[in-house]
Amino acid sequence: MSTLTKSQIQTIKATVPVLAQHGETITTKFYADLLVAHPELKNVFNSTHQATGRQARALGASLHAYASNIDDLGRLSPALELICHKHASLYIQPESYDVVGYHLLKAMKEVLGDAATPEILDAWETAYWQLANIMMSKEKDLYQRGDGWTNWKSFRIAKKIKEAEEITSFYLKPVDETFSLPMYKLGQYISVNVHILDSEGGHWQARQYSMSDSPGNEYLRISVKRDSEAHSPDSSHVHQRGQISNLLHDQKDVGDEIQVSHPRGDFYFESQRKDQSPVILISAGVGSTCLLSILKTISQNTTRPITWIHGARNHEMRPFKETVDQICSRNDAMHTVYFSSRPLQTEVEGREYDKQGRINLENVNKWLLFTDDDSAQYFVCGPSEFMVNTSKQLKRYGVNDKNIKMELFGTGAIPDS
């Protein structure tokens, strides 16, 4: 494997302003050319993120971050870990890196024209393979730790349970009844792969959904929110948003089969038996799914302080409240704080919710946040802007960044925090 020379590192860093200006144009062309040359990769890339340009923007931001930190790749370790888990959940293979590298450099040359000198292209080819080899090594390790589960497996929907107005839980059991489910980490996700019909006959599409139950059951449970805007009759403008969530809600019933990946994800709770440090679980909307897996498991036989903070539009949109309340009623050290941004007229403060408005930690009793305890652990899940704002609030209260975990598996892009 070639390593970057000092001269090549300087060349890469010199392209940072160019990537800031032209990065998205390069990545947009890259994806367009790649999918024409290799239409089979439509099965890998999220068609919604392709249509909206989100995937191109995410890759453009990643290239910019890589170039900016080319001499200090340790700063990118969290982002690489997240992306490699995503790749492993989609069963990306090493040969894909050859195809991607060729088309990425081709797009860079075509967009930048004469500015893409042989020196720059040579440096970027070496830089690309430096990164690709790091990622392939990480992904190989993930595959080797996959309990022999090395490709998509067929699962059958055993149950569908409505949890809230727009959220339904799917209980998934392996079609092969002799297959033993792995003990996944609390907070991890699976990819669900389904076939989509289109004008060209159809292709496969995968989406990631967090497990919403404890490990060790005879099923995997995911809880999926329907994208209601995409489901509306006049929804052509939303570029296929909610394509898979609506398909699962409307077209997949008990007994139907779907393809499922091995559980993955770098967002998880890893408990030590004697650890009794406080845990604060903060979520908005369907972000509560992965946190429920954590709560249900760590609340068993413990006196550990746990605070559950959840925000929803109203009680009809809030999933799992009865379950969470039952869990927290068993232990005086567990507490809940519910926010309703637009409570219904029938809702009663103190019964269906505790605070009106969106989640704001200033409206939570400080003793429930444990911000003066350096051992407290914070898990935050919800829309990206919500997670970033919540993280900033916690840091203003003196919480160490290493004690805050956020679930960011969307496209592999990490918002500034």
Side-chain angles (χ1 to χ4, degrees), residues 115-180:
T117 64
E119 179 187 26
I120 288 176
L121 291 175
D122 182 62
W124 263 104
E125 183 175 11
T126 303
Y128 171 80
W129 281 109
Q130 173 182 269
L131 182 62
N133 280 292
I134 291 171
M135 296 176 71
M136 284 189 288
S137 176
K138 286 179 177 288
E139 289 156 22
K140 180 180 179 180
D141 180 60
L142 288 172
Y143 291 139
Q144 290 175 338
R145 291 189 277 124
D147 313 296
W149 185 345
T150 58
N151 211 328
W152 298 103
K153 280 193 175 293
S154 294
F155 275 63
R156 185 175 289 112
I157 300 172
K159 272 196 303 186
K160 282 179 70 173
I161 303 294
K162 187 174 181 178
E163 306 287 1
E165 186 60 33
E166 296 178 343
I167 299 172
T168 294
S169 286
F170 295 78
Y171 292 71
L172 309 175
K173 291 185 177 182
V175 171
D176 178 1
E177 296 181 359
T178 66
F179 179 71
S180 297

Side-chain angles (χ1 to χ4, degrees), residues 8-32:
Q8 286 177 320
I9 288 173
Q10 291 305 312
T11 298
I12 295 294
K13 290 186 76 70
T15 65
V16 170
V18 177
L19 289 172
Q21 183 177 358
H22 301 290
E24 189 177 335
T25 304
I26 292 170
T27 55
T28 298
K29 180 167 182 54
F30 155 72
Y31 279 120

Side-chain angles (χ1 to χ4, degrees), residues 72-356:
D72 185 14
L73 293 183
R75 296 185 63 185
L76 299 180
S77 291
L80 289 179
E81 194 70 22
L82 181 151
I83 294 169
C84 287
H85 273 271
K86 177 80 172 286
H87 283 183
S89 82
L90 297 170
Y91 297 106
I92 301 297
Q93 298 302 313
E95 52 266 28
S96 295
Y97 283 92
D98 291 307
V99 173
V100 167
Y102 170 79
H103 283 281
L104 185 60
L105 289 168
K106 179 174 177 285
M108 190 176 290
K109 182 177 181 179
E110 291 182 10
V111 170
L112 298 182
D114 293 340
T117 64
E119 179 187 26
I120 288 176
L121 291 175
D122 182 62
W124 263 104
E125 183 175 11
T126 303
Y128 171 80
W129 281 109
Q130 173 182 269
L131 182 62
N133 280 292
I134 291 171
M135 296 176 71
M136 284 189 288
S137 176
K138 286 179 177 288
E139 289 156 22
K140 180 180 179 180
D141 180 60
L142 288 172
Y143 291 139
Q144 290 175 338
R145 291 189 277 124
D147 313 296
W149 185 345
T150 58
N151 211 328
W152 298 103
K153 280 193 175 293
S154 294
F155 275 63
R156 185 175 289 112
I157 300 172
K159 272 196 303 186
K160 282 179 70 173
I161 303 294
K162 187 174 181 178
E163 306 287 1
E165 186 60 33
E166 296 178 343
I167 299 172
T168 294
S169 286
F170 295 78
Y171 292 71
L172 309 175
K173 291 185 177 182
V175 171
D176 178 1
E177 296 181 359
T178 66
F179 179 71
S180 297
L181 293 175
M183 291 294 291
Y184 55 84
K185 294 179 179 179
L186 310 178
Q188 289 190 309
Y189 60 81
I190 55 174
S191 286
V192 169
N193 203 24
V194 296
H195 194 257
I196 302 293
L197 294 176
D198 58 24
S199 58
E200 299 174 357
H203 62 282
W204 290 86
Q205 280 286 282
R207 297 291 185 272
Q208 289 68 49
Y209 297 107
S210 299
M211 260 82 70
S212 60
D213 209 338
S214 301
N217 292 304
E218 60 181 10
Y219 58 82
L220 300 178
R221 187 179 81 168
I222 58 174
S223 301
V224 179
K225 179 183 178 183
R226 178 202 294 278
D227 191 322
S228 57
E229 181 180 359
H231 188 65
S232 66
D234 182 22
S235 59
S236 58
H237 66 288
V238 297
H239 304 289
Q240 298 180 302
R241 263 185 49 185
Q243 186 180 32
I244 306 305
S245 70
N246 280 290
L247 183 149
L248 290 173
H249 275 257
D250 297 335
Q251 299 180 34
K252 296 298 180 182
D253 295 314
V254 172
D256 289 344
E257 293 184 20
I258 57 176
Q259 300 294 299
V260 172
S261 75
H262 187 285
R264 301 289 180 198
D266 66 331
F267 174 91
Y268 55 81
F269 180 93
E270 198 153 36
S271 178
Q272 298 179 4
R273 186 170 297 178
K274 295 181 180 179
D275 183 11
Q276 292 296 303
S277 59
V279 175
I280 299 86
L281 305 170
I282 310 172
S283 61
V286 76
S288 58
T289 54
C290 54
L291 303 192
L292 184 63
S293 176
I294 297 173
L295 176 68
K296 291 188 72 171
T297 308
I298 69 172
S299 63
Q300 300 172 20
N301 303 315
T302 185
T303 57
R304 175 200 297 271
I306 301 173
T307 300
W308 175 274
I309 302 172
H310 183 257
R313 194 182 314 157
N314 54 58
H315 78 277
E316 291 183 352
M317 299 292 184
R318 191 187 313 282
F320 315 127
K321 185 176 187 297
E322 183 177 346
T323 298
V324 171
D325 287 345
Q326 287 177 351
I327 292 172
C328 293
S329 67
R330 304 179 199 141
N331 185 344
D332 290 341
M334 298 182 194
H335 297 87
T336 59
V337 183
Y338 296 110
F339 285 78
S340 283
S341 60
R342 284 183 277 171
L344 302 173
Q345 291 184 347
T346 56
E347 290 188 57
V348 177
E349 185 173 346
R351 187 179 67 189
E352 280 82 17
Y353 68 98
D354 301 298
K355 305 286 183 179
Q356 184 167 349

Side-chain angles (χ1 to χ4, degrees), residues 34-35 38-46 96 99-100 205:
L34 176 70
L35 293 176
H38 296 274
E40 71 277 6
L41 291 179
K42 290 180 180 179
N43 296 334
V44 174
F45 295 113
N46 184 314
S96 295
V99 173
V100 167
Q205 280 286 282

